[in-house]
Amino acid sequence: MPRGRLRVYLGAAPGVGKTYAMLGEGHRRRERGTDVVVGLVEPHGRARTAELIEGLEVVPRRTIVYRGASFTELDVDAVVARAPRIALIDELAHTNVPGSKNTKRWQDVEEILDAGIDVISTVNIQHLESLNDVVQQITGVEQRETVPDEVVRRADQVELVDMSPDALRRRMAHGNVYTPEKVDAALSNYFRVGNLTALRELALLWVAGKVDDQLDRYRAEHGIAGTWEARERVVVALTGGPEGATLVRRAARVAARTKGADLLAVHVTRADGLAGADPASLTHQRTLVESVGGTYHQVVGDDVPRALLDFARGVNATQLVLGASRRGRFAQIFSRGVGVTVTAMSGSIDVHMITHAQAQKGRRPARSGAALTRTRRMAGWAVAVAGVPALTTMLIPFRDALTLPSEILFFLLMVIGVALIGGMWPAVTAAVGGSFLLNYYFTPPLRTLTISNPENFFALVVFVLVAAAVSAIVDVAARRTREAARASADAEVLSTLAGHVLRGEAALPSLLARLRETFALTSVTLLERRGAPGPDDQSDPKAWRIVATAGAAPCTCPGSADTDVVIDEHLVLAVRGRLLEASDRRVLEAFAAEAAVALRQDRLEERAEQARPLAEADKMRTALLAAVSHDLRTPLASATAAVESLRSTEIAWSREDRDELLATAGESLVKLDRLVVNLLDMSRLQAGVLGPAPQPTALEEIVPRAIDDLGHLAERIDGHISVELPDIIADPALLERILVNLMSNAIRYSPADQKVLITGSRHGDHVEIRVVDRGPGIPPEAHDRVFMPFQRLGDRDNHTGVGLGLALSRGLAEAMGGTLVPEETPGGGLTMILALPVSSRVHTGPASVEST
């Protein structure tokens, strides 16, 4: 069954009309006869949005009970069973209530897409994972619900729902987004003009990147090699030479002139390895490129100008920055050089030739000797054919002045030169031809092939043998040099791969994109076999699943690839674009092995994430057993001993003794009751069944009750809660328990002559309740550990309880939508800050409450 298509409406902020646009599209599809259902839509009290739901079939939601409250979520199984053509599912980044089939709604959508159902969904730019920290920096609001960028990037269509900041603020002022009581606060905080403008720019840039990917895919699928100047892209060519830093900075300035321009640096590694650069210099230049906001790339090619232009056209570059040639003027006479060649072949790409301090100072010697390239061999044959007759012509006038051994040495020098240029066979040809010319023109009798002196015959034979031997040695040395250079090129590519992995960029799409760039391929795909191996499944797309891909037109099976590497019986790396040489397979296999490792690492991380709650639960059970073994037994033993003593008839207890025993039993049973209640509540919190009943609550009513619950310890509390504090949203009973726990803990660690202070103040849309003690305090690095169950930060005294008070308090606070964090008390001690949301109810109450 083919996978469904995903369409996403993306907005810069709530209220721009994403859900409205999605429902409108649903109605248009239904009018055209398409089977459309509403999987889940959140109207958020917006009347016009709710009206659009009418007329569309709505799949009933699934009801989930969590912490005593009922919630409704998307029913994935019901949507799949209904099997519509299109499902409308709102809020792609939503986090499902615990107990749902999947943790996130985008995972629900993926399951529906796998069932062959098209999905139309919505998401705001602040919910994209890569922009979460940026949005928090702009707005000051942390977005806890996020969706991986890759989920939205994989969407078949992303449509931006745009609205100017002023228009959105007018919509809010008219009550079309939030209820009237929330409008003023929203307009003065999150929905400020500056915030909305920045979010709008983020959304536009993100969508531009998505459109750019689609454009690259379209150009690749249709074989369009020309440059389309849809977006400014500046490519800077790096050789690893000393001019690299100058070129990078100049290219960065060129890119900065256009808003949103991309900077890409590329280094071309010669396939023969001869033009390789110093790895340390390239590493430094790569760091510089990334520091100015660019990206570094490396490609392999024998023809540097062509490889450079192929890369530039492949990324749809508009400008190319090159350094002026470092070769001297004499060298430029014989070869135009990379810069001149690239300029002549660039077509619509603008080329910038940048001068620098190293221009025309000459290149450093190559790292290795000559290699037998095709050009070298052709040059060797040319010298052999033309050079030997030319040498003969030059020596004939001096025939009477030179002896035969001298003439043979001149010809031997010519043969060695041919061997150095063109290798063995041109040199052997020159040697044989030279021996005939020596015999005909320089060996008596002249102008005949007859040799009268046997010594001259042996001299010519030795000449041919020496020339052949030297040619063979030169040829072997050249081949070894070529092999070493090739190995050097492979090592350079593998070094880049290793650096790519060490920097944490081993995500499969990134890794495959690097491989595609390196060998200028059309697409690179990692395939996984769906079932057991079959005899004819190499060309069966149904037998394979695409795990990850880079480029256009991915391979659907190994048989459709130009080159494939079998990683194991289930994984195959398939590449398309050109046939790779056998020598390139080593690098390809290294990439394939790393891709398999990255895939396994991702899956291990997913399994570890799934196992983490189980490990935490097991840790909780272990700690519970270790703590309960002592802390339950101690008060129980004290109460039992006191009761047994009172029941004894062998001892006549005085009235004072009986009262003391009864007090001991009572205190022990109170401790036991508190311990059991805390343990049960903590287990309920862990299981998600301790449900608060939040309601508007007056803080000055709760604090006195909490102080009274402390009994005789109440005299050590100094509290003041102002009447001007608004009501908060909280469960009164749970809030009272939190305050009792916090104050009891503060009293336990405060000096006997110091009182614990409790105060309240408003901060934005929250009220902060501070419980301040003057005890020893807690080191900053231990602030998080203090909230772990059964932790006393190294305390070895097990008579003070199992350490559930703060853990339970934080759990109850978060269950009511609040937070509980520690802070150092100025002058020494610890301050616990309980923050709870403000109620919208108008507060009226007594003037204040005080306790001393």
Side-chain angles (χ1 to χ4, degrees):
M1 178 183 297
R3 177 180 166 89
R5 296 173 62 83
L6 175 62
R7 178 174 182 173
V8 176
Y9 285 97
L10 176 70
V16 296
K18 303 179 303 299
T19 305
Y20 195 87
M22 178 184 71
L23 291 170
E25 180 65 18
H27 278 283
R28 286 190 291 274
R29 298 287 186 94
R30 186 181 65 84
E31 291 169 1
R32 293 199 294 265
T34 306
D35 185 13
V36 180
V37 301
V38 175
L40 187 144
V41 169
E42 299 287 359
H44 296 294
R46 299 164 189 165
R48 297 183 63 186
T49 302
E51 291 174 0
L52 274 182
I53 301 178
E54 299 177 4
L56 295 174
E57 179 184 348
V58 180
V59 177
R61 301 187 186 187
R62 180 185 177 192
T63 301
I64 299 172
V65 178
Y66 176 66
R67 292 182 175 176
S70 295
F71 301 88
T72 59
E73 292 288 0
L74 173 67
D75 193 335
V76 179
D77 294 334
V79 174
V80 173
R82 169 63 177 77
R85 186 69 190 90
I86 298 176
L88 309 181
I89 301 174
D90 205 7
E91 297 184 357
L92 189 63
H94 171 75
T95 300
N96 294 330
V97 174
S100 301
K101 187 173 185 181
N102 296 303
T103 304
K104 305 285 288 187
R105 185 165 293 165
W106 64 264
Q107 295 171 326
D108 295 337
V109 169
E110 288 290 319
E111 190 171 335
I112 294 172
L113 291 171
D114 288 338
I117 301 171
D118 293 349
V119 174
I120 302 178
S121 188
T122 65
V123 71
N124 280 329
I125 194 68
Q126 66 264 29
H127 295 301
L128 294 179
E129 201 167 73
S130 66
L131 299 176
N132 185 258
D133 56 339
V134 179
V135 173
Q136 182 178 357
Q137 183 181 2
I138 294 171
T139 64
V141 179
E142 180 183 3
Q143 301 293 334
R144 302 195 178 189
E145 292 187 328
T146 60
V147 59
D149 288 47
E150 188 60 28
V151 174
V152 185
R153 286 194 181 279
R154 286 202 309 264
D156 299 278
Q157 186 173 350
V158 176
E159 183 171 335
L160 179 66
V161 182
D162 190 28
M163 181 176 289
S164 69
D166 290 336
L168 178 55
R169 286 168 60 85
R170 283 196 300 271
R171 286 196 65 195
M172 294 190 65
H174 294 157
N176 295 330
V177 179
Y178 291 145
T179 53
E181 60 270 17
K182 296 181 179 180
V183 170
D184 290 339
L187 289 175
S188 60
N189 290 284
Y190 190 89
F191 288 84
R192 295 194 299 269
V193 173
N195 288 356
L196 295 177
T197 302
L199 292 175
R200 189 186 187 199
E201 183 175 12
L202 283 177
L204 291 170
L205 290 175
W206 195 93
V207 173
K210 167 69 176 176
V211 173
D212 197 59
D213 293 340
Q214 292 177 332
L215 178 61
D216 288 344
R217 188 159 51 248
Y218 177 85
R219 293 175 68 244
E221 289 173 352
H222 292 77
I224 300 173
T227 300
W228 287 4
E229 297 185 21
R231 183 174 182 176
E232 200 73 27
R233 278 189 180 82
V234 180
V235 173
V236 54
L238 300 179
T239 64
E243 76 283 358
T246 302
L247 298 183
V248 170
R249 294 188 177 96
R250 180 59 184 274
R253 291 195 295 271
V254 172
R257 294 171 186 165
T258 304
K259 185 70 174 178
D262 293 334
L263 174 64
L264 302 91
V266 60
H267 170 64
V268 179
T269 300
R270 291 284 296 267
D272 58 11
L274 293 179
D278 180 12
S281 298
L282 278 178
T283 301
H284 173 72
Q285 292 170 17
R286 176 177 193 152
T287 303
L288 178 60
V289 169
E290 294 172 349
S291 69
V292 297
T295 57
Y296 179 87
H297 307 265
Q298 184 166 310
V299 297
V300 176
D302 287 319
D303 189 338
V304 175
R306 188 171 298 279
L308 188 57
L309 287 171
D310 286 344
F311 174 83
R313 294 189 179 105
V315 299
N316 203 23
T318 55
Q319 301 188 61
L320 185 57
V321 177
L322 302 174
S325 177
R326 282 184 282 137
R327 300 182 310 146
R329 294 181 180 178
F330 182 78
Q332 294 181 29
I333 296 175
F334 297 95
S335 174
R336 296 193 301 173
V338 173
V340 177
T341 305
V342 167
T343 303
M345 299 169 57
S346 62
S348 60
I349 301 177
D350 297 336
V351 178
H352 301 263
M353 294 294 295
I354 308 301
T355 187
H356 50 84
Q358 302 297 322
Q360 295 189 355
K361 288 189 176 181
R363 288 183 176 272
R364 291 173 296 177
R367 291 180 300 171
S368 56
L372 296 178
T373 62
R374 185 173 182 273
T375 302
R376 296 284 295 276
R377 290 195 300 272
M378 295 299 295
W381 282 109
V383 173
V385 172
V388 174
L391 177 61
T392 303
T393 303
M394 291 173 58
L395 292 178
I396 287 176
F398 305 97
R399 182 167 46 195
D400 295 334
L402 296 174
T403 63
L404 182 60
S406 300
E407 294 159 345
I408 289 177
L409 288 176
F410 278 109
F411 274 87
L412 183 59
L413 182 61
M414 171 61 71
V415 172
I416 293 175
V418 172
L420 291 173
I421 296 174
M424 179 176 178
W425 294 112
V428 169
T429 302
V432 173
S435 66
F436 282 106
L437 292 174
L438 280 169
N439 184 11
Y440 189 82
Y441 287 105
F442 301 100
T443 305
L446 301 178
R447 300 187 182 278
T448 67
L449 295 179
T450 303
I451 302 176
S452 59
N453 188 346
E455 184 178 345
N456 293 338
F457 172 77
F458 286 115
L460 290 175
V461 170
V462 171
F463 161 72
V464 173
L465 293 178
V466 170
V470 170
S471 301
I473 292 172
V474 170
D475 184 70
V476 170
R479 291 181 185 278
R480 296 293 181 266
T481 301
R482 184 177 179 84
E483 293 171 1
R486 182 68 191 188
S488 174
D490 291 346
E492 190 171 347
V493 174
L494 293 176
S495 173
T496 302
L497 172 63
H500 165 76
V501 174
L502 290 174
R503 283 189 301 276
E505 304 173 5
L508 272 177
S510 173
L511 190 66
L512 299 185
R514 294 278 178 169
L515 176 57
R516 188 181 70 85
E517 285 178 358
T518 300
F519 291 105
L521 301 169
T522 303
S523 68
V524 179
T525 308
L526 183 63
L527 299 171
E528 184 176 37
R529 198 187 302 271
R530 293 184 182 272
D536 301 320
D537 61 0
Q538 292 297 305
S539 300
D540 183 9
K542 296 181 179 179
W544 299 88
R545 181 175 69 89
I546 296 177
V547 177
T549 185
C555 300
T556 56
C557 60
S560 63
D562 293 325
T563 305
D564 64 90
V565 174
V566 178
I567 302 172
D568 55 37
E569 64 177 3
H570 295 291
L571 289 175
V572 172
L573 184 68
V575 303
R576 178 181 288 172
R578 64 185 179 90
L579 291 173
L580 296 181
E581 300 178 5
S583 57
D584 291 329
R585 285 190 64 89
R586 289 178 296 177
V587 179
L588 189 64
E589 289 169 357
F591 272 95
E594 182 57 35
V597 171
L599 175 63
R600 295 188 182 103
Q601 183 69 21
D602 289 344
R603 291 180 174 174
L604 285 175
E605 289 177 358
E606 291 177 3
R607 293 173 185 171
E609 191 66 29
Q610 295 171 356
R612 188 171 289 112
L614 298 177
E616 292 294 332
D618 183 68
K619 183 179 179 181
M620 172 71 74
R621 285 192 294 269
T622 303
L624 177 63
L625 292 174
V628 169
S629 64
H630 181 279
D631 291 278
L632 276 179
R633 188 166 59 245
T634 300
L636 185 60
S638 298
T640 302
V643 172
E644 290 295 333
S645 298
L646 290 171
R647 291 181 58 191
S648 175
T649 58
E650 299 177 356
I651 302 176
W653 300 102
S654 65
R655 185 177 182 82
E656 291 78 9
D657 292 338
R658 293 179 63 85
D659 290 342
E660 185 177 351
L661 288 173
L662 287 172
T664 300
E667 291 176 1
S668 298
L669 291 175
V670 168
K671 290 181 180 179
L672 185 61
D673 177 70
R674 185 181 299 115
L675 174 62
V676 171
V677 170
N678 281 344
L679 287 172
L680 291 176
D681 284 348
M682 179 56 68
S683 64
R684 291 191 187 104
L685 275 176
Q686 294 290 327
V689 296
L690 180 58
Q695 61 187 26
T697 303
L699 193 58
E700 67 271 15
E701 296 176 3
I702 302 299
V703 173
R705 294 210 306 258
I707 294 174
D708 290 341
D709 289 344
L710 295 174
H712 68 280
L713 296 177
E715 62 186 15
R716 297 191 57 189
I717 300 295
D718 181 8
H720 179 81
I721 302 299
S722 172
V723 67
E724 296 180 358
L725 286 180
D727 289 352
I728 57 176
I729 298 296
D731 184 314
L734 296 184
L735 176 58
E736 185 177 335
R737 289 194 58 193
I738 294 173
L739 293 176
V740 170
N741 279 338
L742 295 180
M743 290 186 293
S744 300
N745 190 71
I747 292 172
R748 181 181 302 120
Y749 293 104
S750 290
D753 59 343
Q754 294 282 345
K755 288 190 175 184
V756 172
L757 176 64
I758 178 170
T759 65
S761 59
R762 178 170 182 171
H763 295 269
D765 57 354
H766 283 75
V767 168
E768 289 187 354
I769 307 162
R770 294 173 174 259
V771 179
V772 185
D773 67 56
R774 293 292 180 179
I778 298 175
E781 62 272 12
H783 280 181
D784 287 333
R785 283 197 296 125
V786 75
F787 292 104
M788 296 175 63
F790 319 113
Q791 298 292 320
R792 298 194 193 87
L793 298 182
D795 236 352
R796 299 184 181 276
D797 176 19
N798 288 330
H799 297 278
T800 57
V802 294
L804 280 175
L806 292 181
L808 182 60
S809 297
R810 171 174 272 189
L812 295 176
E814 292 177 348
M816 294 188 295
T819 59
L820 179 61
V821 295
E823 183 181 275
E824 293 184 26
T825 303
L830 182 70
T831 299
M832 301 300 297
I833 304 173
L834 173 64
L836 292 169
V838 173
S839 170
S840 58
R841 187 183 75 175
V842 178
H843 170 68
T844 58
S848 65
V849 57
E850 294 187 4
S851 175
T852 57

